Amino acid sequence: MTRFGYTLMTEQSGPRELVRYAQHADRLGFDFAVSSDHFFPWLDEQGHAPYAWSVLGAVAQATERIGLMTYVTCPTVRYHPAVVAQKAATMALLSQDRFTLGVGAGENLNEHVVGERWPAVGERHDMLEEALEIIHELLTGDRVTYEGAHFRVDSAKLWDIPEVPVPIGVAVSGAQSVSRFSGLADHLIAVEPDADLVRSWDEAREGLETIEVIGPSRKIGQIPISWGPDRDEAVARAHEQFRWFGGGWKVNADLPTTESFDAASQFVRPEDVAESIPCGPDLDAVVEAVSAYWEAGFTDVAVVQVGDALQQRFLDEAAGPLLEKLRAAAPSD
């Protein structure tokens, strides 16, 4: 059965609001909540970037049943992988094993702040591979010393770890990253409904000596929507807040500032955004857009309601009926 999630988008809401939204999503029956992990918003108009791990710690205590996940954390530049392992173990304990660590190769937008150069994609993947090796070793509770091309760990040990291993998802985008990371993570993360990507992930994992998976390997996607009673206003809000989205991740990963994203998206029109993001009150249009994910083989899909302005109203009025429609439409086996 397809699982449906809610997105705690740190780029568009403050920390207290995010905790309140997570509580509401928990009560509504969303299966999981994913949180972005940003130092900057994509655009100045979004206006927020609280520390995701503090928010998630508060959410773990303010909710009861909803799964939690980073979507995604970069464990290579702004954070050392040993620190990410410690944070993940602590989150698993605070949430009573509701936490999944989602990781990726990162974006310059968030990682440049520590003053290090931004590596090319091949080197970023080398770094992510080392980071995953370190995280896995530390999450066993063993004392770890590691000497790699990019990272060193000197006699580190995590003193508080969960009995159940922390599941790890990794963001992949093509055959090369699937081949490289399918044996180092439990779950696939992607933001496009690509059936070939899912197929190659499953094929790559066949016969691999992978880290032990808790249950089947999940394929976790995400889709933005701009719900609102007035379609024109919903389109305008999506354009204001999400026009950066159309650049694609090969571009989005390398731009360093909100000014860069503003410049890169200056010729994106509202109608261009509306072609890729369901806008307005029509929940059936949202279901149709989400269906592309389960048809491609995704097991989990997290919805992003664009903008903070109607976030609470979306949860009050639309999220419950949307969940009912999604579950009625999705395949049940």
Side-chain angles (χ1 to χ4, degrees):
M1 181 177 293
T2 310
R3 291 159 41 96
F4 298 105
Y6 173 78
T7 298
L8 301 168
M9 192 169 181
T10 60
E11 303 95 292
Q12 65 182 23
S13 300
R16 292 176 63 86
E17 290 76 18
L18 290 165
V19 174
R20 187 175 74 245
Y21 298 153
Q23 288 177 303
H24 204 139
D26 189 35
R27 292 193 297 267
L28 282 169
F30 279 96
D31 298 303
F32 63 104
V34 302
S35 173
S36 54
D37 184 356
H38 272 237
F39 202 94
F40 269 74
W42 299 101
L43 297 165
D44 286 354
E45 289 90 336
Q46 293 178 315
H48 293 277
Y51 185 51
W53 291 87
S54 296
V55 172
L56 284 167
V59 168
Q61 299 307 292
T63 57
E64 296 180 359
R65 42 151 298 278
I66 195 168
L68 302 174
M69 181 179 183
T70 48
Y71 199 102
V72 293
T73 283
C74 175
T76 60
V77 180
R78 184 168 39 121
Y79 306 136
H80 190 282
V83 177
V84 173
Q86 184 187 34
K87 293 192 287 191
T90 300
M91 267 303 303
L93 291 169
L94 285 172
S95 65
Q96 296 182 298
D97 298 322
R98 288 186 281 141
F99 179 70
T100 297
L101 174 63
V103 299
E107 300 98 17
N108 194 9
L109 178 70
N110 302 300
E111 308 307 315
H112 79 272
V113 297
V114 295
E116 300 291 340
R117 68 177 180 84
W118 183 236
V121 64
E123 186 176 355
R124 297 202 300 269
H125 284 178
D126 291 343
M127 295 169 73
L128 182 58
E129 183 174 352
E130 286 191 14
L132 282 167
E133 291 172 354
I134 290 166
I135 290 167
H136 277 301
E137 288 190 37
L138 283 169
L139 287 174
T140 66
D142 293 338
R143 192 175 297 273
V144 174
T145 295
Y146 183 96
E147 185 80 32
H150 301 282
F151 299 108
R152 289 187 293 176
V153 178
D154 182 14
S155 190
K157 174 181 170 65
L158 298 183
W159 293 90
D160 293 278
I161 60 170
E163 292 185 9
V164 177
V166 179
I168 298 176
V170 64
V172 295
S173 58
Q176 189 271 341
S177 54
V178 166
S179 174
R180 187 160 200 177
F181 298 116
S182 56
L184 291 170
D186 304 306
H187 309 303
L188 173 150
I189 296 170
V191 292
E192 294 182 359
D194 187 338
D196 291 335
L197 193 68
V198 171
R199 189 178 305 110
S200 63
W201 175 268
D202 286 337
E203 289 174 353
R205 290 179 64 82
E206 288 180 3
L208 277 181
E209 187 177 333
T210 59
I211 304 298
E212 183 180 356
V213 175
I214 317 274
S217 181
R218 296 161 60 190
K219 291 83 180 179
I220 307 164
Q222 186 184 55
I223 183 170
I225 68 169
S226 183
W227 175 87
D230 185 296
R231 186 177 187 277
D232 290 342
E233 290 181 3
V235 170
R237 186 173 59 255
H239 178 257
E240 177 195 59
Q241 301 271 320
F242 249 71
R243 63 186 182 275
W244 60 271
F245 190 69
W249 292 103
K250 290 183 179 179
V251 173
N252 294 344
D254 287 324
L255 297 180
T257 63
T258 54
E259 291 83 2
S260 300
F261 278 94
D262 187 47
S265 61
Q266 63 182 308
F267 298 116
V268 177
R269 303 168 301 171
E271 53 266 38
D272 298 326
V273 174
E275 287 179 3
S276 60
I277 297 176
C279 296
D282 188 354
L283 296 182
D284 290 328
V286 176
V287 173
E288 182 178 358
V290 175
S291 70
Y293 281 87
W294 67 64
E295 289 170 359
F298 281 74
T299 60
D300 302 67
V301 188
V303 171
V304 185
Q305 165 66 4
V306 172
D308 188 70
L310 291 189
Q311 198 71 219
Q312 189 61 55
R313 188 172 177 184
F314 166 74
L315 290 165
D316 289 338
E317 299 179 18
L322 176 60
L323 272 176
E324 291 180 8
K325 285 178 174 289
L326 287 169
R327 288 178 175 144
S332 58
D333 53 22

